[in-house]
Amino acid sequence: MADTPVPSGNGNSATANTAAATSAPRHLLEFEKPLGQLERQILELEALQQQKQLDYTKELRQLRSNYTSLLRKTYDSLTAWETVQVARHPQRPQFRDYVDMICPEFRELHGDRYYGDDRAILCGLTRLGGHRVMLMGHHKGRDTKEKVKCYFGLAHPEGYRKALRCMKLAEKFGLPVVALIDTPGAYPGIGAEERGQAESIARNLMEMSRLRTPIISIVLGEGGSGGALGLGVADRVAMMQFAWYSVISPEACSSILFKGNEAAPQLAESLRLTSGHLKQLGIIDSIIAEPLGGAHRDPHSAAHSIEQYVSKTLRDLKRTKVENLLERRYEKFREIGVTAEQSRRSPTKAAS
């Protein structure tokens, strides 16, 4: 992998996407290396233009157009494994980033009232998309110190119990619940198991299924196993365009089946874990479009898309009576996995 300065812009057009160089380096994924070469050419030509006071406007316009075309082509044809890599991008926006961008009045709530305060799941009261909500979600952390403090987004039982306590509080005061999912899975340590990891997730599944208030869950990046499901029972389940959501990660699946990680790219496709696959299978309800090149290229546009989705969806859910909401939520998850098989009887026998 390589780090390189990138042309600035929101990725929505050739001009906006590559207008000028920024000082912050961007982490390039393996499949993005051809993009990195174009970026360097643009930056070098811009520097030469400024240094020699020559007009390279025409050449820069063509390079920027080529860059945007290649960026669109690359992200329109991502494989499942490449989508997993984008979801794990180190500069991809996290829970705290979205809170800072679209929830200026966030008031965090701490502790599960049983054991402690798990920093891998953050909860709080806020206003989002014009609605007062109980917002919660996984947070992985940015620098090494914060990542260790947040256990890299791997939540403990006290994290899920904190989330459930806040959900019950939301139910009491008639506030919708919005859950932002971004975790490789639940924490697998001995201490977490001793304190009831499986039980805490199972209890969240049960309680969320009958919580008497609207619930929205959005997979921001990674949606791994029970760690994601602990916040994933909702009236509307959505995914960011380049997120993944699966019962197991491709590496873990490869390790179990082939005793190594070599088959992870192949198994990523077999797991059907991308937003497009899961929408076709009926596992999720909506796909939230990301800016060209992924949310890490334009976090503010990604945050705005989330805000719009939450605002519109909550308006729809609030029109539904609570009893109907609970019934539809129950039926929604009961119907997942239902398949229809054609009869094997021949037409002649069927007619007789």
Side-chain angles (χ1 to χ4, degrees):
M1 308 298 177
D3 286 350
T4 182
V6 297
S8 63
N10 59 12
N12 293 327
S13 66
T15 303
N17 192 44
T18 56
T22 63
S23 57
R26 174 182 294 139
H27 181 85
L28 282 179
L29 301 172
E30 188 68 28
F31 66 87
E32 291 181 315
K33 285 186 176 179
L35 289 165
Q37 295 174 1
L38 272 176
E39 290 172 352
R40 282 191 293 272
Q41 290 177 24
I42 294 170
L43 293 172
E44 289 170 1
L45 192 57
E46 285 177 337
L48 186 64
Q49 177 177 255
Q50 186 174 7
Q51 181 182 357
K52 295 190 174 183
Q53 298 297 312
L54 298 174
D55 186 10
Y56 291 117
T57 303
K58 183 178 180 181
E59 291 81 359
L60 283 170
R61 185 182 298 114
Q62 184 61 49
L63 281 174
R64 288 167 182 157
S65 177
N66 294 343
Y67 174 85
T68 302
S69 298
L70 181 58
L71 182 63
R72 180 173 288 107
K73 180 180 178 181
T74 300
Y75 274 80
D76 283 346
S77 58
L78 290 182
T79 66
W81 178 241
E82 289 168 345
T83 300
V84 171
Q85 294 176 323
V86 175
R88 294 172 176 169
H89 197 287
Q91 292 170 320
R92 191 173 178 85
Q94 299 182 17
F95 179 87
R96 271 291 181 189
D97 301 316
Y98 287 116
V99 166
D100 292 340
M101 287 185 282
I102 56 179
C103 303
E105 300 176 0
F106 185 71
R107 295 294 181 266
E108 188 175 351
L109 302 175
H110 298 272
D112 67 340
R113 303 297 187 264
Y114 288 99
Y115 181 81
D117 185 29
D118 185 5
R119 303 304 297 163
I121 292 182
L122 305 180
C123 307
L125 297 163
T126 189
R127 187 178 292 275
L128 176 57
H131 302 270
R132 292 179 299 166
V133 303
M134 179 67 75
L135 181 66
M136 59 191 63
H138 300 91
H139 186 62
K140 295 179 176 180
R142 280 296 176 198
D143 56 32
T144 302
K145 184 177 180 180
E146 188 182 19
K147 287 179 179 179
V148 171
K149 189 176 180 180
C150 296
Y151 302 98
F152 297 83
L154 302 167
H156 288 67
E158 49 270 24
Y160 293 105
R161 290 176 181 136
K162 174 172 67 172
L164 181 57
R165 179 178 74 84
C166 291
M167 290 180 204
K168 288 293 188 181
L169 191 64
E171 180 184 48
K172 178 179 179 180
F173 291 103
L175 298 174
V177 172
V178 178
L180 305 181
I181 298 168
D182 189 10
T183 179
Y187 191 80
I190 294 176
E193 297 296 341
E194 289 175 342
R195 295 194 298 276
Q197 183 73 286
E199 185 275 340
S200 66
I201 293 175
R203 183 168 295 277
N204 275 27
L205 299 181
M206 178 182 71
E207 295 294 346
M208 290 182 78
S209 69
R210 60 190 186 186
L211 198 72
R212 298 179 64 83
T213 192
I215 309 174
I216 298 174
S217 291
I218 302 173
V219 183
L220 298 179
E222 296 189 90
S225 191
L229 284 177
L231 297 181
V233 179
D235 300 295
R236 298 288 187 274
V237 180
M239 285 178 67
M240 297 298 286
Q241 184 178 358
F242 302 120
W244 69 269
Y245 191 22
S246 174
V247 69
I248 193 172
S249 70
E251 295 93 335
C253 186
S254 177
S255 178
I256 292 171
L257 295 178
F258 302 105
K259 312 302 179 185
N261 293 337
E262 294 77 11
Q266 171 191 346
L267 292 172
E269 191 67 40
S270 300
L271 286 168
R272 314 292 283 177
L273 46 67
T274 67
S275 59
H277 290 147
L278 296 174
K279 183 69 166 62
Q280 291 176 355
L281 294 171
I283 306 298
I284 65 170
D285 301 293
S286 303
I287 299 173
I288 301 176
E290 296 189 27
L292 179 60
H296 58 281
R297 278 186 162 80
D298 189 358
H300 286 278
S301 291
H304 181 64
S305 296
I306 290 175
E307 185 178 26
Q308 283 189 318
Y309 174 80
V310 170
S311 177
K312 180 180 182 300
T313 305
L314 283 181
R315 283 199 304 270
D316 295 339
L317 293 176
K318 284 181 176 181
R319 297 191 187 105
T320 307
K321 293 182 179 179
V322 173
E323 288 73 17
N324 294 338
L325 203 67
L326 294 177
E327 183 178 351
R328 291 177 186 177
R329 189 187 304 162
Y330 174 80
E331 293 298 331
K332 168 185 169 63
F333 285 92
R334 286 285 293 176
E335 291 174 0
I336 289 178
V338 173
T339 59
E341 294 184 1
Q342 292 183 346
S343 173
R344 294 184 178 180
R345 293 182 300 172
S346 66
T348 305
K349 292 183 179 180
S352 61

